[in-house]
Amino acid sequence: MDERPTKKRKVRKGTRSCWQCRKRKIRCEFASNEEETCNGCQTRGTVCVSQEFADQEQSSPPERGLVQRLSRLEELMLKLADKVGPDASAINKAITPAPSVDGSSQAVPTSRSPPPDLARPSTKITLSSSSAPGLGPSQPSRNRGARNGSKYDELCRELHSAFPSLHAAKTIVDVSRGPVFILVMFYTNQDIFEGKSPTVASLTSMPDVTNHPALLAKYLLQLAICLQQMPPSLDASQLQLGLGGSAQEKMNEWVTAASLVTSNDELLGSAEGLGCLLLQGFYLINSGNLRKAWLVMRRALSLAQLMGIDTDGARSMKSCDPATDPNTIPTSQALWHRINFCDRYISLLLGLSAGSQDNSFMSDESLAWDTAMERLEKKYSVIALRVIERNRAPVHEAYAITQSIDCELENAARAMGRTWWEIPSLPEHNDMLANMSTMSHLMLQIHHHTLLIMLHLPYMLRNQTNSRFDYNRNTCLGSSRAVLKRCIIFRTANDTAFSCRHIDYSSLTASMTLLLGHLSRPPNVREEDWSRQRNEDRALAENVMAKMEELAVLNDDKLSCESAGIIRQLLPIVDSCSGADPARLACDEARRNLQLTIPYLGVININTTANQAAEPPHAVDLSHSQLPTPSNNTTTTTVSSEAYQDTPPPALSLEAFLGTDNTIPHEDVGAGLSADCLGGWPCPGITAEAGDWTFQGVDTTFWSLLNCGVSSDFTR
């Protein structure tokens, strides 16, 4: 470093101008001759030294400016490290203190070490085990004095303190079906086959408190799902888990703690952060909290779009853990499809719009590595979007769209082959992967028939004397029987009510559809054939009701209990609507006039003896094939959109349900449906939980589709 002495300035004799004005090259003026300080120095507040004397202010060495710039650069680096997260705190150690002018080290003031009078107190986060998992705006603690200077250290300690013991975590993972569901949620069969997915044992690998908060939250959510899907025959208290409370309380505590991360956008910009949203949504769906699950999935959809995985399926996902093997990170295509599949499924059940119309996961490059079942699942995601859009289409266009979607479902079914649609047999040996493959087979079959029901439901109770809607009615009834038969098998093998909750929604939808289909006998069906089919359908509905009651007792499940209650209320339809003369029916007034109470919607009045069909001039066979395609039904009617324009829309709508009219007749007198508005019934919050709103609006969507067709906006 150049240590040459500073050159002294030349002294000027006989002048009053000061050094400060000379340096600024301005005129040095005095207010009067008696003033010793010039006007400029008075304004600036500087010392006025005449040029007759030597300048006492030494010029700054050239190194001082460099030191100041280095100090500012180091301060910016520390602020940047503060924003990155806990793992970036090591940057602090790599930055050396800035040297002072005299060669000694001086501390650089940063945002991590504010003066004592400016330091903010840390915010203590208390986790309550009794609080339900929510989506509130809970924010993590931002303790500036945390370990290593990270603002999320306090949050990491709070999350880590909620961890169970390693013994408890291993026990939960070993006895639960949850690990397999978690793996298939993020990875394709090809990834699992090639070893690109983590092992089940890795789910018990406890992250350190120094890891990123998203890793800690993901660990808690995985344990919550595994605990949620434990068989009801296993008593958590007998497993000596040491949870310090009931299993439900512990799940609520874990999910509540994890929501501190999932509600903070700064912590979600990684594969683990996006995975946390998926896990939380999966947990909420199985808990029966569909509306909160819809909000979580919509956040995951928005985050995925911000990360760009919807436009670039080959984009590599970033991990927040440097130690993560890049080969085990889920692919962006798999995550994008899973998010859209869940979002569209929930939106269809709740009568809401889909979050995205992007189907890039159906590209040829993506499908090339998929199995036949994975390709079928992606097709169903696209078809679900089309059904949602059909529900909001104009009436004169809806029926043509329905026919087009029905053809897509038929082609998807044919691509799998006839034998694939036979009900699979459960493996006798206790192989988790084999059982999961069979369960996935059953779930896809159930999903196919559920889509068919939702597609044709608006036309099932149209004018029974008009044969143009025979195909819609037959498809609804045939698919309902197929769903119920498979649901009984599925729930016999998996009696955990909080596992695969969508099976129960499909079962309820199919049960109501099947029983309401007996409101009147089709005019072209013989009495003896209809009587035989009626007895078979009643027995099937009773078996489903018994299975739901069993699940309700085993799991203390409110949804199963109330679903069984709805089936019990609708069973008299099968007994009353036999197609005989109403005057000869041996049933009382209560049986012939049913009332079904729909919370937050109204009372559905069902007149089971109104205008029954007369003896038909001809009959058809009601047998159904295993292959659920339109060509296998006995009656197929093709109706163009122009022909459908002549059919007026039903008079019963959701607006009528919620309006001031007390009784609104259905378009079809034979159906005998009307609705009473429940005045004064308090509406739940938009994110009410299953304990306050059991069906979450699934029943509202069903009755809206059945009674008001496809032209109403169900969300208004």
Side-chain angles (χ1 to χ4, degrees):
M1 180 179 295
D2 189 3
E3 298 182 355
R4 291 176 297 178
T6 305
K7 184 178 179 180
K8 293 185 178 181
R9 298 181 180 180
K10 184 178 180 180
V11 177
R12 298 178 61 189
K13 299 295 185 179
T15 180
R16 292 192 64 187
S17 61
C18 67
W19 291 107
Q20 293 290 339
C21 291
R22 181 184 177 184
K23 286 190 295 183
R24 290 169 173 78
K25 297 182 179 181
I26 60 176
R27 182 183 296 274
C28 186
E29 297 179 344
F30 291 82
S32 63
N33 293 331
E34 290 78 13
E35 290 288 343
E36 296 182 356
T37 303
C38 68
N39 297 337
C41 288
Q42 289 181 357
T43 303
R44 293 186 297 268
T46 56
V47 178
C48 187
V49 179
S50 174
Q51 295 184 44
E52 292 181 327
F53 307 97
D55 188 6
Q56 298 177 357
E57 181 180 2
Q58 298 293 331
S59 61
S60 300
E63 294 82 3
R64 174 173 294 182
L66 177 61
V67 171
Q68 291 176 347
R69 289 195 296 271
L70 287 175
S71 299
R72 287 195 297 270
L73 178 61
E74 291 168 358
E75 183 177 357
L76 291 175
M77 290 291 293
L78 289 174
K79 290 181 178 179
L80 178 62
D82 188 44
K83 291 184 178 180
V84 172
D87 294 334
S89 59
I91 299 178
N92 298 342
K93 301 178 181 179
I95 300 178
T96 57
S100 63
V101 178
D102 57 1
S104 61
S105 298
Q106 62 181 11
V108 179
T110 68
S111 59
R112 294 175 179 267
S113 55
D117 56 333
L118 298 179
R120 293 188 295 177
S122 63
T123 303
K124 181 68 174 178
I125 300 177
T126 303
L127 301 178
S128 175
S129 60
S130 60
S131 59
L135 302 174
S138 302
Q139 295 296 329
S141 172
R142 299 176 180 267
N143 186 359
R144 291 287 183 176
R147 173 188 49 80
N148 288 338
S150 172
K151 63 179 179 180
Y152 293 118
D153 275 0
E154 181 68 19
L155 172 61
C156 291
R157 284 192 290 268
E158 292 289 345
L159 292 171
H160 200 270
S161 65
F163 284 7
S165 65
L166 185 59
H167 165 73
K170 289 183 177 180
T171 303
I172 292 172
V173 172
D174 290 341
V175 302
S176 174
R177 302 182 182 95
V180 178
F181 286 102
I182 293 174
L183 290 181
V184 299
M185 186 190 310
F186 295 104
Y187 300 94
T188 64
N189 289 341
Q190 183 71 18
D191 293 334
I192 297 176
F193 177 77
E194 294 179 356
K196 294 182 179 180
S197 64
T199 61
V200 173
S202 65
L203 297 180
T204 61
S205 179
M206 186 178 298
D208 191 76
V209 69
T210 59
N211 287 121
H212 194 279
L215 289 173
L216 306 180
K218 183 179 179 182
Y219 179 76
L220 287 176
L221 289 169
Q222 289 174 343
L223 288 181
I225 290 175
C226 291
L227 186 58
Q228 182 187 46
Q229 303 205 25
M230 285 178 58
S233 57
L234 293 177
D235 188 356
S237 61
Q238 297 179 357
L239 296 177
Q240 299 180 355
L241 300 178
L243 298 179
S246 66
Q248 186 62 48
E249 291 175 346
K250 187 55 62 173
M251 285 188 292
N252 289 342
E253 178 183 340
W254 291 344
V255 177
T256 301
S259 66
L260 298 176
V261 175
T262 58
S263 61
N264 190 333
D265 295 335
E266 293 183 2
L267 301 175
L268 300 178
S270 62
E272 291 81 4
L274 191 58
C276 284
L277 289 176
L278 270 173
L279 290 170
Q280 186 181 21
F282 185 77
Y283 174 85
L284 291 172
I285 291 175
N286 287 319
S287 299
N289 298 317
L290 289 180
R291 306 180 79 82
K292 285 188 175 182
W294 184 85
L295 288 174
V296 171
M297 288 301 175
R298 196 53 60 92
R299 289 193 68 224
L301 191 70
S302 301
L303 179 63
Q305 290 174 327
L306 288 175
M307 297 171 70
I309 67 176
D310 59 325
T311 58
D312 184 5
R315 180 187 295 269
S316 300
M317 297 295 296
K318 180 185 69 174
S319 174
C320 62
D321 183 13
T324 299
D325 183 2
N327 294 325
T328 62
I329 300 177
T331 63
S332 57
Q333 288 181 343
L335 290 176
W336 181 240
H337 165 248
R338 184 59 55 194
I339 294 172
N340 277 278
F341 184 88
C342 294
D343 173 75
R344 293 172 185 181
Y345 168 75
I346 303 174
S347 298
L348 182 61
L349 287 182
L350 299 181
L352 302 172
S353 300
S356 172
Q357 285 72 41
D358 180 77
N359 295 321
S360 58
F361 49 81
M362 285 291 292
S363 64
D364 295 337
E365 181 182 357
S366 176
L367 296 176
W369 298 98
D370 291 339
T371 63
M373 290 176 57
E374 289 173 336
R375 288 193 294 269
L376 183 63
E377 186 182 44
K378 290 184 177 181
K379 290 179 183 178
Y380 288 159
S381 181
V382 175
I383 292 174
L385 174 62
R386 293 205 62 195
V387 176
I388 292 173
E389 294 174 342
R390 189 284 312 263
N391 291 345
R392 297 171 179 273
V395 176
H396 64 277
E397 299 177 0
Y399 198 76
I401 298 175
T402 300
Q403 288 181 304
S404 175
I405 299 174
D406 187 84
C407 290
E408 290 187 30
L409 284 169
E410 179 180 3
N411 294 332
R414 288 187 178 277
M416 300 302 295
R418 182 177 296 273
T419 57
W420 189 86
W421 291 101
E422 297 176 357
I423 300 178
S425 301
L426 297 175
E428 298 180 357
H429 53 281
N430 189 17
D431 186 347
M432 182 174 292
L433 291 179
N435 286 329
M436 188 61 199
S437 178
T438 304
M439 292 294 188
S440 299
H441 192 168
L442 276 172
M443 286 189 289
L444 274 179
Q445 290 183 352
I446 292 172
H447 191 53
H448 176 94
H449 289 288
T450 302
L451 287 174
L452 280 173
I453 295 173
M454 301 294 285
L455 178 65
H456 294 282
L457 188 62
Y459 310 102
M460 188 183 74
L461 294 183
R462 291 296 178 92
N463 192 346
Q464 300 296 324
T465 61
N466 192 336
S467 61
R468 69 171 63 180
F469 301 118
D470 286 351
Y471 171 68
N472 305 105
R473 175 191 175 95
N474 291 338
T475 302
C476 282
L477 296 180
S479 293
S480 297
R481 297 181 186 108
V483 167
L484 296 181
K485 291 176 182 178
R486 288 160 175 79
C487 285
I488 292 175
I489 296 175
F490 187 93
R491 279 308 180 197
T492 301
N494 185 355
D495 56 0
T496 305
F498 303 103
S499 175
C500 304
R501 177 59 86 182
H502 60 280
I503 298 297
D504 301 324
Y505 293 118
S506 296
S507 180
L508 175 62
T509 300
S511 298
M512 293 192 295
T513 303
L514 182 62
L515 295 176
L516 290 171
H518 286 271
L519 280 171
S520 61
R521 175 169 58 87
N524 56 348
V525 179
R526 291 192 302 264
E527 171 61 27
E528 55 270 23
D529 292 335
W530 187 244
S531 177
R532 172 178 54 82
Q533 188 65 68
R534 185 174 63 251
N535 294 333
E536 293 177 0
D537 290 345
R538 178 181 175 84
L540 182 59
E542 287 177 341
N543 290 336
V544 173
M545 182 179 66
K547 180 58 66 175
M548 288 183 173
E549 291 174 342
E550 178 184 343
L551 290 176
V553 174
L554 285 176
N555 300 271
D556 190 21
D557 181 37
K558 187 177 180 181
L559 176 62
S560 299
C561 180
E562 295 195 11
S563 297
I566 290 180
I567 296 176
R568 185 180 295 104
Q569 293 181 67
L570 293 178
L571 274 175
I573 295 177
V574 182
D575 298 328
S576 301
C577 300
S578 61
D581 186 356
R584 293 183 292 148
L585 285 175
C587 56
D588 54 19
E589 186 69 19
R591 169 171 283 186
R592 289 187 285 110
N593 294 278
L594 303 178
Q595 285 190 341
L596 186 64
T597 302
I598 307 298
Y600 311 112
L601 178 62
V603 176
I604 305 297
N605 297 317
I606 305 175
N607 185 357
T608 61
T609 62
N611 194 21
Q612 294 294 332
E615 187 67 18
H618 59 278
V620 294
D621 186 10
L622 289 179
S623 60
H624 295 274
S625 170
Q626 289 287 345
L627 184 61
T629 59
S631 58
N632 290 323
N633 288 274
T634 55
T635 303
T636 303
T637 305
T638 302
V639 183
S640 64
S641 59
E642 291 78 7
Y644 183 68
Q645 293 181 19
D646 299 333
T647 303
L652 191 58
S653 64
L654 185 60
E655 288 79 1
F657 273 132
L658 303 178
T660 57
D661 295 336
N662 290 327
T663 302
I664 303 98
H666 190 266
E667 175 198 31
D668 294 331
V669 180
L673 290 177
S674 64
D676 291 339
C677 176
L678 293 184
W681 194 317
C683 291
I686 59 174
T687 58
E689 295 191 352
D692 300 321
W693 192 358
T694 305
F695 296 112
Q696 296 281 290
V698 174
D699 49 353
T700 303
T701 303
F702 175 87
W703 290 104
S704 298
L705 280 175
L706 181 68
N707 292 295
C708 69
V710 295
S711 60
S712 295
D713 183 358
F714 306 141
T715 62
R716 286 188 297 176

Short mmCIF file of all heavy atoms in Angstrom, two decimals, residues 503-522:
data_model
loop_
_atom_site.label_atom_id
_atom_site.label_comp_id
_atom_site.label_asym_id
_atom_site.label_seq_id
_atom_site.Cartn_x
_atom_site.Cartn_y
_atom_site.Cartn_z
N ILE A 503 -63.48 -43.05 -2.63
CA ILE A 503 -64.30 -44.25 -2.84
C ILE A 503 -65.66 -44.08 -2.17
O ILE A 503 -66.70 -44.48 -2.72
CB ILE A 503 -63.57 -45.49 -2.29
CG1 ILE A 503 -62.26 -45.71 -3.03
CG2 ILE A 503 -64.46 -46.72 -2.37
CD1 ILE A 503 -62.43 -46.00 -4.51
N ASP A 504 -65.69 -43.46 -1.01
CA ASP A 504 -66.95 -43.27 -0.29
C ASP A 504 -67.84 -42.25 -0.98
O ASP A 504 -69.07 -42.40 -0.99
CB ASP A 504 -66.66 -42.84 1.15
CG ASP A 504 -65.82 -43.87 1.90
OD1 ASP A 504 -66.02 -45.07 1.66
OD2 ASP A 504 -64.96 -43.47 2.70
N TYR A 505 -67.25 -41.20 -1.56
CA TYR A 505 -68.06 -40.24 -2.31
C TYR A 505 -68.66 -40.90 -3.56
O TYR A 505 -69.82 -40.65 -3.90
CB TYR A 505 -67.21 -39.03 -2.71
CG TYR A 505 -66.78 -38.19 -1.53
CD1 TYR A 505 -65.43 -38.02 -1.23
CD2 TYR A 505 -67.71 -37.55 -0.72
CE1 TYR A 505 -65.02 -37.25 -0.15
CE2 TYR A 505 -67.31 -36.78 0.36
CZ TYR A 505 -65.96 -36.63 0.64
OH TYR A 505 -65.57 -35.87 1.71
N SER A 506 -67.88 -41.74 -4.23
CA SER A 506 -68.41 -42.45 -5.39
C SER A 506 -69.51 -43.41 -4.98
O SER A 506 -70.52 -43.56 -5.68
CB SER A 506 -67.28 -43.22 -6.10
OG SER A 506 -66.31 -42.34 -6.63
N SER A 507 -69.33 -44.06 -3.84
CA SER A 507 -70.34 -45.00 -3.36
C SER A 507 -71.65 -44.29 -3.04
O SER A 507 -72.74 -44.77 -3.38
CB SER A 507 -69.81 -45.73 -2.12
OG SER A 507 -70.76 -46.65 -1.63
N LEU A 508 -71.57 -43.13 -2.40
CA LEU A 508 -72.78 -42.37 -2.08
C LEU A 508 -73.47 -41.89 -3.35
O LEU A 508 -74.70 -42.00 -3.48
CB LEU A 508 -72.41 -41.19 -1.19
CG LEU A 508 -73.55 -40.21 -0.86
CD1 LEU A 508 -74.66 -40.91 -0.09
CD2 LEU A 508 -73.02 -39.01 -0.08
N THR A 509 -72.70 -41.36 -4.29
CA THR A 509 -73.28 -40.88 -5.55
C THR A 509 -73.97 -42.01 -6.30
O THR A 509 -75.09 -41.86 -6.81
CB THR A 509 -72.18 -40.26 -6.42
OG1 THR A 509 -71.59 -39.15 -5.73
CG2 THR A 509 -72.75 -39.76 -7.74
N ALA A 510 -73.32 -43.17 -6.38
CA ALA A 510 -73.90 -44.30 -7.10
C ALA A 510 -75.15 -44.82 -6.39
O ALA A 510 -76.12 -45.22 -7.05
CB ALA A 510 -72.86 -45.41 -7.23
N SER A 511 -75.15 -44.84 -5.07
CA SER A 511 -76.32 -45.33 -4.33
C SER A 511 -77.53 -44.45 -4.57
O SER A 511 -78.64 -44.94 -4.84
CB SER A 511 -76.00 -45.40 -2.83
OG SER A 511 -74.93 -46.29 -2.57
N MET A 512 -77.35 -43.14 -4.47
CA MET A 512 -78.48 -42.24 -4.70
C MET A 512 -78.97 -42.33 -6.14
O MET A 512 -80.17 -42.31 -6.41
CB MET A 512 -78.06 -40.80 -4.37
CG MET A 512 -77.79 -40.56 -2.89
SD MET A 512 -77.62 -38.81 -2.45
CE MET A 512 -76.15 -38.37 -3.36
N THR A 513 -78.04 -42.45 -7.09
CA THR A 513 -78.43 -42.56 -8.50
C THR A 513 -79.23 -43.83 -8.75
O THR A 513 -80.27 -43.80 -9.43
CB THR A 513 -77.18 -42.53 -9.39
OG1 THR A 513 -76.44 -41.33 -9.14
CG2 THR A 513 -77.57 -42.58 -10.86
N LEU A 514 -78.76 -44.94 -8.21
CA LEU A 514 -79.43 -46.22 -8.44
C LEU A 514 -80.84 -46.22 -7.85
O LEU A 514 -81.80 -46.67 -8.50
CB LEU A 514 -78.60 -47.35 -7.84
CG LEU A 514 -79.14 -48.77 -8.03
CD1 LEU A 514 -79.22 -49.12 -9.52
CD2 LEU A 514 -78.28 -49.78 -7.29
N LEU A 515 -80.99 -45.73 -6.64
CA LEU A 515 -82.31 -45.75 -5.99
C LEU A 515 -83.27 -44.76 -6.66
O LEU A 515 -84.46 -45.07 -6.84
CB LEU A 515 -82.16 -45.44 -4.51
CG LEU A 515 -81.38 -46.49 -3.70
CD1 LEU A 515 -81.20 -46.04 -2.26
CD2 LEU A 515 -82.08 -47.84 -3.75
N LEU A 516 -82.78 -43.59 -7.03
CA LEU A 516 -83.65 -42.63 -7.71
C LEU A 516 -84.03 -43.10 -9.10
O LEU A 516 -85.05 -42.66 -9.65
CB LEU A 516 -82.95 -41.27 -7.78
CG LEU A 516 -82.79 -40.52 -6.45
CD1 LEU A 516 -81.90 -39.30 -6.63
CD2 LEU A 516 -84.15 -40.11 -5.90
N GLY A 517 -83.22 -43.97 -9.68
CA GLY A 517 -83.57 -44.52 -10.98
C GLY A 517 -84.81 -45.38 -10.96
O GLY A 517 -85.39 -45.68 -12.02
N HIS A 518 -85.26 -45.78 -9.76
CA HIS A 518 -86.47 -46.59 -9.63
C HIS A 518 -87.71 -45.75 -9.35
O HIS A 518 -88.74 -46.30 -8.96
CB HIS A 518 -86.28 -47.62 -8.51
CG HIS A 518 -85.37 -48.75 -8.87
ND1 HIS A 518 -85.81 -49.90 -9.48
CD2 HIS A 518 -84.03 -48.89 -8.75
CE1 HIS A 518 -84.80 -50.72 -9.69
NE2 HIS A 518 -83.69 -50.13 -9.26
N LEU A 519 -87.61 -44.45 -9.54
CA LEU A 519 -88.79 -43.61 -9.34
C LEU A 519 -89.91 -43.98 -10.31
O LEU A 519 -91.08 -43.81 -10.01
CB LEU A 519 -88.42 -42.14 -9.51
CG LEU A 519 -87.75 -41.48 -8.29
CD1 LEU A 519 -87.22 -40.11 -8.65
CD2 LEU A 519 -88.73 -41.40 -7.13
N SER A 520 -89.56 -44.47 -11.47
CA SER A 520 -90.58 -44.90 -12.43
C SER A 520 -89.99 -46.00 -13.30
O SER A 520 -88.79 -46.02 -13.56
CB SER A 520 -91.05 -43.73 -13.29
OG SER A 520 -89.97 -43.19 -14.03
N ARG A 521 -90.86 -46.90 -13.72
CA ARG A 521 -90.43 -47.99 -14.59
C ARG A 521 -90.38 -47.51 -16.03
O ARG A 521 -91.32 -46.88 -16.51
CB ARG A 521 -91.40 -49.17 -14.46
CG ARG A 521 -91.10 -50.33 -15.42
CD ARG A 521 -91.91 -51.55 -15.06
NE ARG A 521 -93.34 -51.28 -15.07
CZ ARG A 521 -94.11 -51.38 -16.15
NH1 ARG A 521 -93.57 -51.70 -17.31
NH2 ARG A 521 -95.40 -51.13 -16.07
N PRO A 522 -89.28 -47.79 -16.72
CA PRO A 522 -89.22 -47.40 -18.14
C PRO A 522 -90.37 -48.03 -18.91
O PRO A 522 -90.76 -49.17 -18.66
CB PRO A 522 -87.87 -47.95 -18.59
CG PRO A 522 -87.06 -48.08 -17.34
CD PRO A 522 -88.04 -48.42 -16.27
#
